[in-house]
Amino acid sequence: MKIRKISIKNFRGIKELDWSLPAAEIFCLIGKGDSSKSTILEALRYAFYPQWNPIFTDADFYQCKVDNGIVIEVTLGDLTPEFCSDQKYGHHQRGWDKATQKLTDESDDHLESVLTVRLTIGKELEPKWIVVTDRTPEGVLFKQADRAKVSVGLIGAFSEKQLSWAAGTALAKLTEAQSLNELLATASRTARTSLDADRLVTLKNFDAAAVKSEGIAKLLGVPVTTSYQAHLDLNSINLKAGGLALHDGDMPLRQLGLGSRRMLLCGIQQVGLDEGHITLFDEVEFGLEPHRISRLIKHVREDKRGQYFLTTHSPVVLRELTINELYVVHSKAGNVQIIAASSDSLKEHEVQGKIRSSAEAFLAKKVVVCEGATEVGFLRGFDDHQVGKGGDPFSYHGVALLNAGGAGNVKGLAKAFKGLCYDVAVLADADAPKLFSPVDEEELKKLKVNVYAWSDMLSLEERAFQDLPWPSVVTSLKLAQDDLKFPVYDNVRSKLQKDLDKDLNKWIESPELKTAIGRAAKDSGWFKDITRGDKWFATISPAFADPEFSKKDTAVKLASLWTWASDV
């Protein structure tokens, strides 16, 4: 069976979610932390919970408001004949149009037959599962045994139980159930008999205490049928299904590393369930090295009987998956939206290549598309500066700094991320209009992308050296010359075309000299990587305390970008 549609209301961090799924086997949910990716998996697990008594609390309700009941609806397709029979749920089938991803209340020949399962939890915290249609809103009970037949398994951070024969685990489903309870009861009796066989040695002291207890009983008039002795209480040692666990020799497999346990569970879920399965894999990268992530994703992709819902915060996982398998999750005030990375509206932006080259940014909430490494390093330094003043860092606001690798890539990247509903800003030079022009800037602004391009058609280095007070210019020159080992005098002299003292401490401030310094820094690449850009900002950061500098284009645009980043 396969999931076709998911609707969630008032469950944990989700106030409302409505997601119609394409016909596919792999759905990897990506996006910033706290966007409710894991909550979606938990909702699916509860919708098909294989036991009758899951425990809910007030904290499971959105904002703990128990007056607004939890409603989880999941529409299932690819139904088994048993579920379609009149003795089961045949009278409650609905129709699903795979092409339009629309649900109709009546099944039809050209539509896929589906069932909608609804789980509701009210303030009394009692779950209720029913199969519903619009024509029968009261529904019919969705039985515990049938929930188990859907074979939904969650592989999360704590997976030891899944390697035992506990109710609802994949191992329990693989086992002939009629022999399991008898086997465990026999094991309990055998443990009692084994202890009794060597009583004179192993229970000598315990039996002595029992004899004393017998004497006290007789003294107090408590009847004694035979004689008191120490024995195992069958009720206390009664083995449950969860007490039987998978071992490697004498070692229980729950002692395997986290990554190994999760990979094993994924394989058991796939290989052992003949009628298919729905596997929920939360944070698929936990405990796995990159080469094992690659192997796991290959294993998942080759399984055509199952349907997989994954979550990840790993760029490695993103690079292993295709664009058709990725879905971006956004949450705003509890309203959760899921966008397919393969949406038709995004095809012109070549999102697949951008995911592979810019994977980290897809895991953020906001993205600053920086023209190059200098801008990324410069903003990292700016971030440190703001934090030093008591501000919250970019990371707190879910902001990622993305190196576009050149002005010609800026617009395409910005449009791609905006198309996936990220908040996007651009920090770019204005000195190469053939690659990033004022027209491009206006086009992005119409899409509500904040664009910060330096005035007067200048690069970052040219703009900054024009704006900085002279002491900060001198410290920048010393950084390039003494720490970064650039021939600063030669670089600047070639741009100035005038006599210049070889001792930069004797240089006299002038607009002409500042212009030459800016061009030399740009053309010679003084700060053209992330580390050097970061160091440069740290060197000039005292300038931001200068009231005059705060009015300059460099400071004004950075302050505006910071306001955008900090705006929730």
Side-chain angles (χ1 to χ4, degrees), residues 29-46:
L29 306 180
I30 64 174
K32 75 174 292 287
D34 301 320
S35 57
S36 297
K37 300 185 294 296
S38 297
T39 300
I40 294 169
L41 301 196
E42 287 284 358
L44 293 177
R45 180 172 76 105
Y46 281 123

Side-chain angles (χ1 to χ4, degrees), residues 380-401:
R380 284 189 181 184
F382 179 56
D383 186 36
D384 290 340
H385 172 71
Q386 293 293 94
V387 170
K389 292 168 54 182
D392 296 317
F394 282 141
S395 58
Y396 176 81
H397 298 289
V399 178
L401 306 177

Side-chain angles (χ1 to χ4, degrees), residues 150-172:
V150 182
S151 297
V152 176
L154 174 64
I155 302 174
F158 303 99
S159 51
E160 291 89 346
K161 180 182 176 182
Q162 296 296 323
L163 289 172
S164 71
W165 275 262
T169 67
L171 281 173

Side-chain angles (χ1 to χ4, degrees), residues 273-347:
L273 302 176
D274 293 334
E275 295 183 355
H277 60 93
I278 297 170
T279 294
L280 316 174
F281 213 136
D282 197 20
E283 301 291 2
V284 67
E285 68 275 8
F286 271 11
L288 294 176
E289 306 88 343
H291 67 275
R292 291 214 289 172
I293 290 175
S294 177
R295 184 68 190 89
L296 178 61
I297 297 299
K298 185 176 186 293
H299 169 87
V300 167
R301 190 173 285 124
E302 290 174 349
D303 179 15
K304 300 303 179 185
R305 291 181 305 144
Q307 191 179 37
Y308 291 84
F309 291 82
L310 318 175
T311 72
T312 186
H313 286 101
S314 168
V316 176
V317 175
L318 263 63
R319 293 183 182 109
E320 289 293 332
L321 295 169
T322 70
I323 188 174
N324 296 317
E325 296 160 344
L326 295 173
Y327 297 81
V328 183
V329 182
H330 296 286
S331 178
K332 189 170 186 178
N335 293 300
V336 179
Q337 180 184 21
I338 300 178
I339 302 169
S342 60
S343 170
D344 288 341
S345 63
L346 299 172
K347 286 182 178 178

Side-chain angles (χ1 to χ4, degrees), residues 210-229:
V211 170
K212 292 181 181 178
S213 300
E214 181 182 334
I216 294 171
K218 290 178 178 178
L219 183 65
L220 296 176
V222 177
V224 177
T225 304
T226 54
S227 63
Y228 283 13
Q229 60 182 354

Side-chain angles (χ1 to χ4, degrees), residues 1 20 42 112 128 157 201 218 249 252 268 299-300 310 330 359 361 426 428 434 452 454 493 497 520 561 563-564:
M1 286 178 272
S20 296
E42 287 284 358
E112 180 185 17
K128 180 180 179 182
V201 176
K218 290 178 178 178
I268 291 173
H299 169 87
V300 167
L310 318 175
H330 296 286
V426 164
K434 290 183 178 180
Y452 304 98
W454 310 115
R493 176 68 178 80
Q497 296 294 318
L561 190 151
T563 299
W564 168 84

Side-chain angles (χ1 to χ4, degrees), residues 2-7 18 47-48 71-77 79 83 89 91-96 103-106 112-119 129-142:
K2 304 288 177 64
I3 294 173
R4 304 303 186 206
K5 190 174 190 297
I6 302 169
S7 176
D18 194 72
F48 303 101
V71 181
I72 300 170
E73 284 190 358
V74 182
T75 298
L76 277 178
L79 301 173
F83 274 34
Y89 310 109
H91 296 297
H92 300 272
Q93 293 181 79
R94 309 173 85 183
W96 178 256
L103 181 65
T104 59
D105 204 51
E106 298 281 354
E112 180 185 17
S113 293
V114 296
L115 297 175
T116 298
V117 177
R118 177 186 293 163
L119 166 61
W129 291 268
I130 56 177
V131 177
V132 299
T133 66
D134 291 345
R135 58 189 186 276
T136 56
E138 70 284 357
V140 60
L141 179 65
F142 190 46

